[in-house]
Amino acid sequence: MTLIQKYNVPGPRYTSYPTVPYWNEEDFSLSKWKETLIHSFTESNHAEGISLYIHLPFCESLCTFCGCNKRITKRHDVEHPYIDAVLKEWELYCELLPKKPIIKEIHLGGGTPTFFSPENLERLLNGLFENAAIHPEHEFSFEGHPNNTTRAHLQKLFDLGFRRVSFGVQDYSQKVQEAIHRIQSFHNVAKVTYWAREIGYTSIGHDLIFGLPFQTLEDVIDTIDKTNSLQPDRLAFYSYAHVPWIKGNGQRGFKDEDLPKDEEKRLLYEIGKKRLSENGYHEIGMDHFALETDSLYHSFNERKLHRNFMGYTSSKTQVMIGLGVSSISDSWYSFAQNVKTLEEYYDALAQNELPVFRGHLLTDEDLIIRKHILNIMCQLHTSWNEYGYYFSEINQVLDRLHEMEEDGLVIITNHSLTVTEKGKAFIRNICMAFDLRMTRKLPETKLFSMTV
């Protein structure tokens, strides 16, 4: 049995710990969420500010590789009421917080943020800024669809302080694009990339996916070579997460047997990674690459890289507030998720209530394990001899890691763990050894995508 076959099991991507299926929702309440948020905000706002994630759920067509929360519509009259609702939610948070928030990070995700007109995005952002101060070292970013991102979008958001944009590329193969219902030409991607560069964006990213239906090694090489010709500042090169059992994710139009698996799938990544490396890209954490000039590279080298529900970020804020339908907020001491349908979202806000429907209060043990998993994900290293990092079940965790050590995936000393070059492919498996909640209660049904 190869290492790929041995370790390719279902597992989380660890944008949080505990992961959502292991949240203790019974002990959570909206009042407790507010309490922890105020506490964390008071601790951190002055020093580091807060992050905002705004979920913009609308898409004009369904991409069948997508597992995100979205609403498919071609009607753009949905923009105004949604923006009104998001600004109402933000107003409720600002009334709750004891001081004016200082915004350090904003990320517009979706859905398709560029579904919204430049004018409506300006209205949204100016509405957010009215009740807040802007951190002098702020980092604002958004996800752009190459087919509908206009120069006006890029210019308007640049004028509002955005310097990072990521474009969803996935793959340039016509057959793959048809299977995932995401038809976009290299010309469109090149056009928006050049526009962003001309306007002055300092970090342009492309999102690529390996393991898509009908995708071959030749497809990945072609996609990587086309990407290299545009020299985006950073790249996400994700493993396709096949989770067709999750309601509403739209993963249809192809069969399980149409997907590359095990060694075949991993080869797509390794060859892609090699070609990226030959063109000056450095592997950062898991599934991410950056040129030496990009802030993600500097954060990784300076051990400041952070990971949250927005993915990898160049800097950490203790508080992240998620606005919009299905968004998840993080006070460091607790998580809170908004309702998942537009109807429920609008109803809660009409009653002047935060639209939170579930969450989790982190225990002392959770906070320690969270630190270790963040260290592994962001620095490929963790230690447990320092105050605040030791926990009583470390020996059981080391027992679970013993076989990985024998397989050359990790180096373990008396008080630390380091992920090896070989181990980078199995970083999710390594984190799973620390996941005490999952270890104590293994899932009985399908919850996660495959790890490799």
Side-chain angles (χ1 to χ4, degrees):
M1 180 186 293
T2 66
L3 290 178
I4 298 292
Q5 292 170 326
K6 182 177 182 179
Y7 291 107
N8 193 23
V9 297
R13 288 179 182 261
Y14 291 110
T15 49
S16 74
Y17 180 83
T19 57
V20 176
Y22 286 94
W23 285 1
N24 180 354
E25 297 180 33
E26 291 182 5
D27 290 345
F28 177 84
S29 68
L30 184 57
S31 62
K32 289 178 180 177
W33 158 243
K34 291 177 180 178
E35 184 181 320
T36 65
L37 175 64
I38 292 169
H39 172 68
S40 188
F41 176 86
T42 303
E43 281 184 334
S44 64
N45 181 60
H46 177 72
E48 62 186 28
I50 70 167
S51 296
L52 292 181
Y53 170 77
I54 298 104
H55 190 71
L56 302 173
F58 303 109
C59 299
E60 289 197 344
S61 64
L62 178 69
C63 300
T64 57
F65 68 89
C66 180
C68 300
N69 181 288
K70 64 269 180 185
R71 180 67 66 94
I72 309 301
T73 181
K74 293 186 183 296
R75 292 178 48 201
H76 285 262
D77 57 358
V78 298
E79 295 181 36
H80 275 288
Y82 189 77
I83 290 172
D84 289 342
V86 170
L87 292 178
K88 176 65 177 292
E89 184 184 3
W90 176 235
E91 183 182 320
L92 292 175
Y93 272 114
C94 290
E95 289 171 357
L96 176 68
L97 300 173
K99 291 184 179 180
K100 180 180 281 192
I102 302 169
I103 301 175
K104 175 75 176 292
E105 288 184 308
I106 293 177
H107 184 70
L108 307 181
T112 306
T114 47
F115 174 97
F116 288 73
S117 71
E119 294 74 24
N120 281 337
L121 290 174
E122 181 180 36
R123 185 168 78 87
L124 168 64
L125 289 156
N126 282 335
L128 297 175
F129 298 155
E130 279 179 13
N131 294 314
I134 307 299
H135 194 285
E137 297 177 3
H138 66 268
E139 186 170 284
F140 297 167
S141 61
F142 74 98
E143 298 166 13
H145 192 314
N147 286 355
N148 68 12
T149 300
T150 64
R151 188 170 185 121
H153 278 114
L154 290 160
Q155 187 64 60
K156 182 65 71 179
L157 289 169
F158 183 86
D159 293 343
L160 289 163
F162 285 70
R163 296 295 180 269
R164 273 197 53 225
V165 56
S166 60
F167 296 113
V169 174
Q170 324 327 335
D171 187 281
Y172 286 114
S173 160
Q174 184 72 20
K175 185 174 184 179
V176 173
Q177 288 188 3
E178 288 173 357
I180 64 176
H181 202 236
R182 177 75 175 226
I183 311 298
Q184 61 194 19
S185 65
F186 174 71
H187 171 77
N188 282 358
V189 178
K191 180 175 64 177
V192 293
T193 299
Y194 289 136
W195 280 345
R197 194 162 283 138
E198 286 171 5
I199 288 169
Y201 282 80
T202 54
S203 182
I204 301 165
H206 287 188
D207 293 346
L208 311 178
I209 298 179
F210 68 95
L212 290 167
F214 307 110
Q215 192 179 48
T216 65
L217 182 57
E218 290 73 22
D219 295 331
V220 167
I221 291 172
D222 179 64
T223 295
I224 294 290
D225 287 349
K226 284 185 167 73
T227 301
N228 281 328
S229 73
L230 299 178
Q231 282 286 286
D233 301 279
R234 64 174 70 171
L235 288 159
F237 190 25
Y238 294 114
S239 168
Y240 167 60
H242 191 53
V243 286
W245 56 85
I246 295 179
K247 183 181 178 182
N249 71 2
Q251 292 182 346
R252 54 179 182 268
F254 50 87
K255 303 170 185 173
D256 285 4
E257 54 265 33
D258 298 327
L259 301 169
K261 294 181 178 64
D262 295 337
E263 281 82 3
E264 179 190 4
K265 179 180 178 182
R266 192 63 198 176
L267 183 64
L268 302 180
Y269 180 82
E270 295 299 336
I271 296 298
K273 170 183 165 181
K274 182 173 183 292
R275 291 180 95 85
L276 288 171
S277 177
E278 291 168 353
N279 282 272
Y281 289 95
H282 295 265
E283 191 173 19
I284 308 294
M286 180 182 75
D287 300 338
H288 284 68
F289 297 81
L291 296 175
E292 291 184 3
T293 51
D294 191 77
S295 61
L296 203 66
Y297 174 81
H298 296 304
S299 293
F300 179 69
N301 276 353
E302 294 166 7
R303 299 169 68 87
K304 294 179 180 177
L305 194 66
H306 183 55
R307 184 170 172 83
N308 56 26
F309 291 105
M310 298 187 288
Y312 284 110
T313 66
S314 299
S315 60
K316 172 185 173 291
T317 63
Q318 191 164 298
V319 170
M320 188 192 82
I321 294 176
L323 303 174
V325 63
S326 79
S327 287
I328 299 178
S329 298
D330 177 2
S331 73
W332 185 255
Y333 303 110
S334 64
F335 303 124
Q337 184 172 22
N338 283 352
V339 292
K340 292 188 174 184
T341 70
L342 283 171
E343 294 74 18
E344 292 173 294
Y345 181 68
Y346 291 150
D347 286 348
L349 291 166
Q351 298 173 51
N352 292 317
E353 294 177 358
L354 289 176
V356 169
F357 86 105
R358 67 173 173 179
H360 176 84
L361 304 171
L362 279 80
T363 64
D364 290 343
E365 180 187 83
D366 288 339
L367 288 167
I368 293 171
I369 300 303
R370 183 182 191 183
K371 289 177 184 176
H372 284 295
I373 288 177
L374 273 173
N375 286 345
I376 294 167
M377 279 281 174
C378 297
Q379 301 169 15
L380 307 176
H381 174 85
T382 196
S383 174
W384 46 86
N385 68 333
E386 307 170 41
Y387 172 76
Y389 280 85
Y390 180 80
F391 58 104
S392 59
E393 294 190 35
I394 183 61
N395 288 330
Q396 292 94 312
V397 170
L398 294 178
D399 287 343
R400 289 193 288 276
L401 288 164
H402 179 68
E403 196 166 353
M404 294 186 197
E405 184 180 27
E406 289 188 334
D407 287 333
L409 309 185
V410 293
I411 297 170
I412 298 174
T413 69
N414 289 335
H415 54 76
S416 71
L417 173 146
T418 302
V419 180
T420 65
E421 187 64 32
K422 186 195 290 187
K424 287 181 181 179
F426 307 98
I427 193 167
R428 290 164 69 183
N429 304 78
I430 295 165
C431 289
M432 285 166 65
F434 283 82
D435 192 335
L436 299 185
R437 286 187 176 268
M438 187 166 67
T439 302
R440 292 168 186 155
K441 187 180 179 183
L442 294 173
E444 297 175 358
T445 59
K446 290 182 178 180
L447 295 177
F448 307 111
S449 61
M450 304 302 278
T451 55
V452 182

